Amino acid sequence: MAANDRDNMLPARLEAEFSVLLKELSSCGHQASELITRTGLPGWSLRSLFFFLGYIAKSEGRVTEADIGFAESLMKALKLSRRQRRKAIHWFQKGKSAKDLPALRALRLRLVHYLWPSPALRVAICLCHAAQLQGKPRKPRRYRCEDAIDQLGLPVKVSDDILESYACKVWITQPESQPQPTSYEQACQLLGVTRREPLEGIKRAYRKKVSECHPDKLAQQALNAVEKARAKDRLLRYQQAWELIRRHHAQS
């Protein structure tokens, strides 16, 4: 195993739970509110969740409708009572007004995650979803998200992996318009996988992507010249991504 891979490893208990939740997030179409509908959250974690959501929402000075809508979708997913909703809104407002995170915020989540990492990881997924509501998060949103996840007692790698999952499944909708990949992470994103995926899984994703735009398959469709050129460029990007990944693993 390469030294870089060892450095990126999470503790075994955390890694096992995190992998399950990332797969569940993918099956939810990367909709964090749907993940919470399926998995729930303990009531004692809600104060920290909505406080951090408000903190992230105000990162660029103005809370957007998307921020409010996402917070409301979580309230609905959690089936909060009217009284609980008022509390959640109060905590969201407190987070909006905070210029810095209080030192003991999310203390219970921080302490509990050593034995039961799932609540902290589910909150982290919600926070990363909030950070990328407008697509790839700009620095202020990402930094506030990372600060909040650090308060949960989780390593920054958790936020990196969650956002990478959004990058390869949600943000890249036109691979042919992307530049030639120059890093392993970029190559994985083009193929719709994360760097956590084993080589065999990446190979399967590559073959599936190639089959969608291969000339032999496209010959059966009535495509115009522009569509054919786009498919050709997409195929080239997939091939470049796979070649970079293959070389990376050959050198490991």
Side-chain angles (χ1 to χ4, degrees):
M1 182 183 295
N4 188 52
D5 292 333
R6 288 196 298 270
D7 292 340
N8 284 328
M9 290 181 65
L10 295 171
R13 184 189 293 272
L14 189 63
E15 174 64 39
E17 187 67 39
F18 191 33
S19 294
V20 169
L21 285 172
L22 284 181
K23 288 178 182 177
E24 186 73 14
L25 179 65
S26 183
S27 74
C28 294
H30 280 75
Q31 295 300 313
S33 56
E34 176 61 24
L35 174 71
I36 297 304
T37 297
R38 297 185 187 186
T39 63
L41 270 175
W44 48 263
S45 67
L46 302 187
R47 180 173 185 171
S48 297
L49 169 63
F50 286 100
F51 182 93
F52 289 145
L53 287 176
Y55 181 69
I56 291 169
K58 197 65 185 294
S59 59
E60 294 177 294
R62 186 178 71 87
V63 176
T64 68
E65 300 241 347
D67 292 307
I68 296 171
F70 178 55
E72 289 177 343
S73 73
L74 288 176
M75 293 180 204
K76 183 177 179 180
L78 291 162
K79 298 180 181 178
L80 299 188
S81 66
R82 185 173 299 179
R83 180 170 175 271
Q84 289 172 322
R85 286 177 63 90
R86 285 198 299 269
K87 285 188 173 182
I89 293 169
H90 170 73
W91 296 328
F92 186 90
Q93 297 288 350
K94 293 280 283 185
K96 276 173 51 181
S97 63
K99 294 184 179 178
D100 298 295
L101 290 178
L104 298 181
R105 178 63 63 195
L107 180 61
R108 187 168 181 180
L109 279 163
R110 189 181 187 96
L111 294 175
V112 167
H113 95 268
Y114 291 103
L115 296 176
W116 185 27
S118 182
L121 288 169
R122 280 176 277 164
V123 169
I125 287 172
C126 291
L127 301 183
C128 286
H129 187 101
Q132 62 82 61
L133 285 171
Q134 307 296 334
K136 182 178 180 180
R138 290 186 288 270
K139 287 181 179 179
R141 276 196 170 238
R142 179 150 192 162
Y143 290 164
R144 285 205 170 193
C145 178
E146 290 174 351
D147 287 346
I149 287 174
D150 179 64
Q151 287 270 19
L152 298 174
L154 298 173
V156 173
K157 182 185 183 311
V158 167
S159 62
D160 291 341
D161 284 359
I162 296 170
L163 290 173
E164 183 189 0
S165 182
Y166 278 95
C168 67
K169 297 293 186 181
V170 180
W171 303 343
I172 296 181
T173 57
Q174 295 181 312
E176 67 278 3
S177 67
Q178 301 295 313
Q180 180 176 343
T182 58
S183 70
Y184 187 79
E185 289 75 16
Q186 289 174 357
C188 287
Q189 288 172 14
L190 277 166
L191 296 180
V193 297
T194 71
R195 63 179 181 271
R196 302 166 61 86
E197 191 78 25
L199 183 60
E200 282 304 311
I202 297 175
K203 183 184 289 187
R204 287 194 296 271
Y206 165 67
R207 288 175 174 170
K208 183 178 180 181
K209 294 286 189 184
V210 165
S211 70
E212 294 170 354
C213 56
H214 196 276
D216 291 344
K217 183 169 184 177
L218 296 180
Q220 306 168 18
Q221 304 177 31
L223 301 181
N224 59 38
V226 173
E227 291 170 330
K228 288 179 180 178
R230 188 180 299 134
K232 184 178 178 181
D233 289 341
R234 181 172 293 195
L235 178 61
L236 176 62
R237 285 291 175 264
Y238 291 152
Q239 291 170 334
Q240 290 169 337
W242 171 247
E243 180 60 24
L244 192 155
I245 289 168
R246 190 185 62 77
R247 290 201 309 269
H248 174 88
H249 281 271
Q251 295 166 3
S252 297

